[in-house]
């Protein structure tokens, strides 16, 4: 759950500009109008799509006994071994000990894939020497859930989420994903225009949830769901993980959503305006966790001190919608994928559907056909997204959409310079899952999907799971 994504720094700070983020801005109080202008100015950086990035999150398992949680000292030793490597990707650790690699911005699919693959090879070798393996599963269902990292950010985050139930801890400590970042697109309308890409991302997001579902729950409140991870995200709180209204102007909708969402925490500042919260030893009391304080209300005078541009910048990093505008579009809905090459498939497919003009046109036509099922409610709580998470490709509408999208992506990959390995990975996934109306969750050992083998029954709501599924063929 890092505060930046692969394209953020390049978009926020073009070559020649000084490093840093809005957190280095003047500590002067921020008015409501100024806050709206800042969000409006940074949420969609438009222009020809040319950059691609990906974030890969992994669970860490004991090579000898995958079902046994690794003790903190072994997790820390594994992280230290990975952190010592000369990686091109940014290496970070999630609160529960999940490992994350975020690629540098790439100007081509193979550039993105090449950087991540080289780093993954190095990390796997370093961890293997310690008897630790990376596992691509969207939700770690082992118990108990432990928070490995003890920083002010995560302490405050946990305090905030605990007010609304267990979903926050499950998200922080046990979830893993493949996140793909694409440019916002042209200002003008058209296949690569930012308005169309924004709308398509929310409609196609359900297709991606369904096709790549890989967090099945055996029992508990999400029993039978193929993507329990999405259930967890949708249950975080009343707004933080939701999308803004889809039919509104993208910039205006995101500005309203960002300012009207509750502030997660208020960090301390020293007299120079620097972020005093950066000290890991800072007491949790120094990070105020207010109740029901939106950023808009804060800018209007509520709260214990006025907000600054740095506070707004930080607030935006605590919003977790399925598609997050960070200048570019950050697609956050895809479960971590199984196997050595599983992660390649969503990266390649998303890139093709958004950045190849022919595939993007097909994807847009597919997306339009899903609009009625999406309905007026926000993702991921609307009927289309709920069905994607619960039934995966058993939903006939999503199954047909996935087949059309994967067909378009497959045709686009040679035009995008994809090598044989990437094309083969997408082809094998298509044959193994998409054409058969299945998803990776269906192959997790012990997952009983008998209740949802037929067309999806009426959609319903969800809550949180229990066991750790392991694929038979992937046991070390």
């Amino acid at each position: 759950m890092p505060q930046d994504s692969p394209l953020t720094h390049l978009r926020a700070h073009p070559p020649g500009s000084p490093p840093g983020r809005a957190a280095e801005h003047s500590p002067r109080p921020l008015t409501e109008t100024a806050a709206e202008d800042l969000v409006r100015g940074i949420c969609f950086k438009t222009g020809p799509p040319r950059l691609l990035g990906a974030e890969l999150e992994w669970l860490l398992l004991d090579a000898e006994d995958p079902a046994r949680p690794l003790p903190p000292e072994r997790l820390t030793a594994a992280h230290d071994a990975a952190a010592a490597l000369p990686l091109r990707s940014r290496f970070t650790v999630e609160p529960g000990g999940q490992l994350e690699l975020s690629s540098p911005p790439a100007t081509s699919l193979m550039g993105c894939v090449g950087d991540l693959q080289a780093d993954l090879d190095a990390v796997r070798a370093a961890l293997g020497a310690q008897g630790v393996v990376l596992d691509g599963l969207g939700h770690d269902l082992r118990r108990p859930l432990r928070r490995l990292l003890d920083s002010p950010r995560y302490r405050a985050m946990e305090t905030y989420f605990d007010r609304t139930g267990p979903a926050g801890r499950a998200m922080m400590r046990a979830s893993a994903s493949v996140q793909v970042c694409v440019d916002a697109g042209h200002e003008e309308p058209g296949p690569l225009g930012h308005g169309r890409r924004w709308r398509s991302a929310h409609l196609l997001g359900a297709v991606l949830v369904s096709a790549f579902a890989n967090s099945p729950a055996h029992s508990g409140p999400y029993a039978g769901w193929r993507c329990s991870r999405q259930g967890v995200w949708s249950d975080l709180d009343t707004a933080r993980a939701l999308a803004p209204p889809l039919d509104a102007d993208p910039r205006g909708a995101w500005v309203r959503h960002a300012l009207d969402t509750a502030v997660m925490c208020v960090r301390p500042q020293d007299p120079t305006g620097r972020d005093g919260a950066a000290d890991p030893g800072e007491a949790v009391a120094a990070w105020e966790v207010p109740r029901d304080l939106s950023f808009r209300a804060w800018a209007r005078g509520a709260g214990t001190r006025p907000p600054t541009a740095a506070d707004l910048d930080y607030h935006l990093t605590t919003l977790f919608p399925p598609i997050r505008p960070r200048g570019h579009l950050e697609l956050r809905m895809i479960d971590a994928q199984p196997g050595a090459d599983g992660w390649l498939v969503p990266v390649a497919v998303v890139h093709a559907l958004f950045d190849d003009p022919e595939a993007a046109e097909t994807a847009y036509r597919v997306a339009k056909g899903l609009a009625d099922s999406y309905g007026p409610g926000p993702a991921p709580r609307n009927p289309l997204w709920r069905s994607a998470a619960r039934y995966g490709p058993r939903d006939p509408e999503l199954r047909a959409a996935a087949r059309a999208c994967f067909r378009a992506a497959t045709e686009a990959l040679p035009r995008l310079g994809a090598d044989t390995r990437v094309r083969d990975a997408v082809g094998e996934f298509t044959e193994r899952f998409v054409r058969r109306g299945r998803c990776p969750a269906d192959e997790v050992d012990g997952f009983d999907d008998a209740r949802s083998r037929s067309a999806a029954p009426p959609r319903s709501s969800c809550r949180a799971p229990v066991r750790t599924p392991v694929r038979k063929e992937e046991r070390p």
Side-chain angles (χ1 to χ4, degrees):
M1 207 177 310
Q3 296 179 40
D4 296 316
S5 59
L7 310 190
T8 300
H9 289 296
L10 198 61
R11 282 299 182 211
H13 308 288
S17 68
R21 294 168 47 79
E24 269 72 36
H25 291 340
S26 164
R28 290 177 300 178
L30 189 69
T31 66
E32 179 183 359
T33 300
E36 289 178 335
D37 290 344
L38 278 173
V39 178
R40 186 179 298 275
I42 64 175
C43 59
F44 294 94
K45 302 290 187 182
T46 53
R50 63 186 184 88
L51 296 177
L52 173 70
E55 304 177 25
L56 310 180
E57 295 173 346
W58 302 88
L59 306 179
L60 272 60
L61 304 183
D62 187 304
E64 297 296 325
D65 186 2
R68 181 183 66 185
L70 288 168
E73 59 273 13
R74 287 193 65 194
L75 278 172
T76 300
H79 298 149
D80 290 346
L85 297 169
L87 304 174
R88 279 186 53 76
S89 306
R90 187 176 74 243
F91 167 78
T92 50
V93 177
E94 295 293 295
Q98 310 97 306
L99 180 150
E100 180 176 289
L101 293 175
S102 301
S103 73
T107 56
S108 69
L109 173 61
M110 295 315 301
C112 177
V113 166
D115 287 337
L116 282 168
Q117 187 60 65
D119 290 343
L120 269 174
D121 290 344
V123 168
R124 283 191 172 112
L127 268 55
Q130 302 193 29
V132 175
V133 294
L134 298 178
D135 184 57
L137 190 67
H139 195 187
D140 187 352
L141 307 185
R142 293 173 296 181
R143 293 294 185 269
L145 294 176
R146 294 188 176 90
R147 177 162 57 86
L148 181 71
L149 302 184
D150 187 29
S151 68
R153 174 180 170 87
Y154 294 132
R155 277 180 260 157
M157 186 179 290
E158 196 164 90
T159 299
Y160 174 88
F161 283 131
D162 280 352
R163 293 171 179 168
T164 54
R169 291 192 177 213
M171 178 274 289
M172 292 171 63
R173 302 178 181 196
S175 66
S177 67
V178 174
Q179 298 178 19
V180 187
C181 299
V182 296
D183 277 326
H186 292 286
E187 187 67 30
E188 302 78 16
L192 301 180
H194 80 282
R196 181 182 287 196
R197 286 161 75 86
W198 174 251
R199 182 174 178 83
S200 291
H202 286 84
L203 294 168
L204 293 177
V207 180
L208 299 173
V209 169
S210 169
F212 294 111
N214 190 37
S215 52
H218 294 74
S219 57
Y222 300 124
W225 286 59
R226 285 166 173 77
C227 186
S228 64
R229 177 177 158 273
Q230 272 301 315
V232 168
W233 279 100
S234 68
D235 286 344
L236 283 183
D237 70 4
T238 56
R240 177 156 262 99
L242 302 185
L246 190 55
D247 290 330
D249 164 68
R251 283 195 179 92
W254 180 249
V255 169
R256 290 189 292 274
H257 181 75
L259 267 61
D260 291 338
T261 299
V263 172
M264 180 178 286
C265 56
V266 176
R267 303 171 300 162
Q269 291 179 312
D270 68 21
T272 67
R274 292 194 304 257
D275 176 16
D279 176 10
E282 190 76 57
V284 70
W287 286 57
E288 182 187 352
V289 184
R291 288 183 180 272
D292 303 322
L293 175 69
S294 70
F295 199 94
R296 189 182 302 280
W298 193 10
R300 287 177 175 177
T304 55
R305 65 166 176 82
T308 66
D311 293 315
L312 176 60
D313 188 40
Y314 189 85
H315 173 65
L316 295 177
T317 73
T318 70
L319 305 181
F320 307 121
I323 295 92
R324 185 162 64 175
R326 306 287 302 277
H328 56 279
L329 302 182
E330 183 182 272
L331 279 69
R332 305 171 51 84
M333 75 291 294
I334 301 168
D335 279 350
Q337 294 297 288
D341 292 341
W343 63 274
L344 291 171
V345 181
V347 175
V349 169
V350 169
H351 177 49
L353 296 178
F354 281 83
D355 294 339
D356 178 82
E358 291 182 41
E361 188 62 38
T362 298
Y364 180 63
R365 290 197 299 270
V366 171
K368 285 202 300 184
L370 299 171
D372 287 345
S373 296
Y374 188 96
R381 288 187 184 156
N382 61 42
L384 183 68
W385 279 66
R386 287 285 197 186
S387 187
R390 183 167 187 173
Y391 304 110
R394 302 293 181 194
D395 182 310
E397 185 178 30
L398 290 167
R399 181 169 64 250
R403 288 172 177 167
C405 287
F406 272 75
R407 183 164 54 247
T410 299
E411 293 171 356
L413 288 177
R415 298 192 292 266
L416 295 169
D419 68 6
T420 302
R421 177 177 169 235
V422 172
R423 297 198 305 269
D424 286 350
V426 173
E428 290 168 8
F429 187 96
T430 302
E431 291 297 328
R432 183 174 180 175
F433 297 115
V434 179
R435 292 189 188 280
R436 298 171 60 200
R438 294 172 64 81
C439 59
D442 292 319
E443 294 193 351
V444 173
D445 184 23
F447 179 53
D448 179 13
D449 63 347
R451 281 168 291 182
S452 51
R453 286 187 183 278
S454 59
R459 288 131 179 175
S460 59
S461 54
C462 48
R463 283 278 176 290
V466 236
R467 290 176 43 199
T468 299
V470 179
R471 288 171 180 77
K472 291 177 181 176
E473 67 271 23
E474 292 175 15
R475 287 177 180 151

